[in-house]
Amino acid sequence: MSFPGISVIIPTRNNGTEIHRAIGSILNQEETAGEKLHIEIIVVNDASDASFLPALEKLPEQYPGCRILHLAVQGGPAAARNHGIRAAKGNLISF
Protein backbone atom coordinates (compact mmCIF):
# COMPACT_ATOMS: atom_id res chain seq x y z
CA MET A 1 0.00 0.00 0.00
CA SER A 2 1.29 3.45 -0.90
CA PHE A 3 1.07 6.14 1.74
CA PRO A 4 0.81 9.83 0.87
CA GLY A 5 3.22 12.54 1.86
CA ILE A 6 1.83 14.95 4.40
CA SER A 7 2.86 18.57 4.86
CA VAL A 8 2.22 19.84 8.38
CA ILE A 9 2.26 23.63 8.59
CA ILE A 10 2.96 25.33 11.91
CA PRO A 11 2.61 29.12 12.00
CA THR A 12 4.59 30.69 14.83
CA ARG A 13 5.46 34.07 16.26
CA ASN A 14 7.78 34.53 19.24
CA ASN A 15 7.38 30.89 20.22
CA GLY A 16 9.78 29.04 22.49
CA THR A 17 9.26 25.61 23.99
CA GLU A 18 5.76 25.07 22.58
CA ILE A 19 7.13 24.66 19.05
CA HIS A 20 9.20 21.68 20.23
CA ARG A 21 6.16 20.13 21.86
CA ALA A 22 4.14 20.54 18.64
CA ILE A 23 6.86 19.00 16.45
CA GLY A 24 7.39 16.19 18.95
CA SER A 25 3.70 15.41 18.90
CA ILE A 26 3.76 15.14 15.09
CA LEU A 27 6.82 12.90 15.09
CA ASN A 28 5.47 10.64 17.84
CA GLN A 29 2.33 9.69 15.95
CA GLU A 30 2.26 5.94 15.33
CA GLU A 31 2.33 6.21 11.54
CA THR A 32 5.10 8.81 11.62
CA ALA A 33 7.26 7.00 14.17
CA GLY A 34 6.91 3.80 12.16
CA GLU A 35 7.95 5.68 9.04
CA LYS A 36 4.77 4.65 7.24
CA LEU A 37 4.19 8.24 6.17
CA HIS A 38 6.50 10.84 4.76
CA ILE A 39 6.05 13.94 6.91
CA GLU A 40 7.24 17.38 5.90
CA ILE A 41 7.06 19.92 8.73
CA ILE A 42 6.96 23.55 7.64
CA VAL A 43 7.36 26.12 10.40
CA VAL A 44 6.36 29.56 9.18
CA ASN A 45 7.91 32.34 11.24
CA ASP A 46 5.43 35.22 11.27
CA ALA A 47 8.03 37.98 11.79
CA SER A 48 9.19 36.89 15.23
CA ASP A 49 11.43 39.18 17.26
CA ALA A 50 15.16 38.74 16.61
CA SER A 51 15.70 37.03 19.97
CA PHE A 52 13.62 34.05 18.79
CA LEU A 53 15.42 33.56 15.45
CA PRO A 54 18.42 31.49 16.65
CA ALA A 55 16.14 28.86 18.18
CA LEU A 56 13.98 28.74 15.05
CA GLU A 57 17.02 28.35 12.81
CA LYS A 58 18.15 25.30 14.82
CA LEU A 59 14.89 23.40 14.27
CA PRO A 60 15.95 21.74 10.97
CA GLU A 61 19.10 20.43 12.70
CA GLN A 62 17.06 19.03 15.57
CA TYR A 63 14.22 17.66 13.44
CA PRO A 64 15.16 16.33 9.98
CA GLY A 65 12.38 17.02 7.51
CA CYS A 66 11.58 20.36 9.14
CA ARG A 67 11.83 23.56 7.09
CA ILE A 68 11.65 27.16 8.29
CA LEU A 69 10.04 29.89 6.22
CA HIS A 70 10.24 33.52 7.30
CA LEU A 71 7.73 36.31 6.76
CA ALA A 72 9.32 39.76 6.86
CA VAL A 73 6.10 41.45 7.98
CA GLN A 74 3.68 40.04 10.53
CA GLY A 75 0.56 38.86 8.73
CA GLY A 76 -1.12 36.73 11.37
CA PRO A 77 -1.76 32.97 11.50
CA ALA A 78 -3.85 32.84 8.32
CA ALA A 79 -1.18 34.57 6.22
CA ALA A 80 1.49 32.27 7.68
CA ARG A 81 -0.61 29.17 6.91
CA ASN A 82 -1.18 30.36 3.33
CA HIS A 83 2.55 30.95 2.88
CA GLY A 84 3.18 27.41 4.13
CA ILE A 85 0.57 25.96 1.77
CA ARG A 86 2.32 27.53 -1.21
CA ALA A 87 5.62 25.92 -0.16
CA ALA A 88 4.14 22.50 0.73
CA LYS A 89 5.18 19.45 -1.28
CA GLY A 90 2.95 16.83 0.35
CA ASN A 91 -0.14 15.22 -1.13
CA LEU A 92 -2.09 16.23 1.98
CA ILE A 93 -1.82 19.35 4.13
CA SER A 94 -2.41 19.57 7.85
CA PHE A 95 -2.17 22.37 10.39
Side-chain angles (χ1 to χ4, degrees):
M1 177 177 224
S2 176
F3 294 97
I6 299 176
S7 297
V8 181
I9 300 166
I10 304 173
T12 188
R13 175 160 168 58
N14 295 341
N15 193 322
T17 59
E18 290 300 313
I19 194 92
H20 292 279
R21 193 171 71 119
I23 293 172
S25 176
I26 294 164
L27 296 177
N28 287 324
Q29 298 296 315
E30 180 180 341
E31 291 78 11
T32 303
E35 297 183 12
K36 294 180 183 177
L37 296 174
H38 172 71
I39 299 290
E40 167 190 46
I41 300 171
I42 302 172
V43 176
V44 183
N45 169 27
D46 189 18
S48 292
D49 296 338
S51 62
F52 289 90
L53 296 180
L56 288 174
E57 291 297 334
K58 289 181 184 176
L59 291 175
E61 296 170 19
Q62 297 169 318
Y63 305 103
C66 180
R67 290 192 292 152
I68 307 296
L69 304 177
H70 297 279
L71 297 178
V73 177
Q74 183 182 0
R81 283 190 292 268
N82 288 336
H83 191 72
I85 288 170
R86 287 190 292 276
K89 297 177 183 172
N91 301 92
L92 302 172
I93 295 176
S94 177
F95 301 106

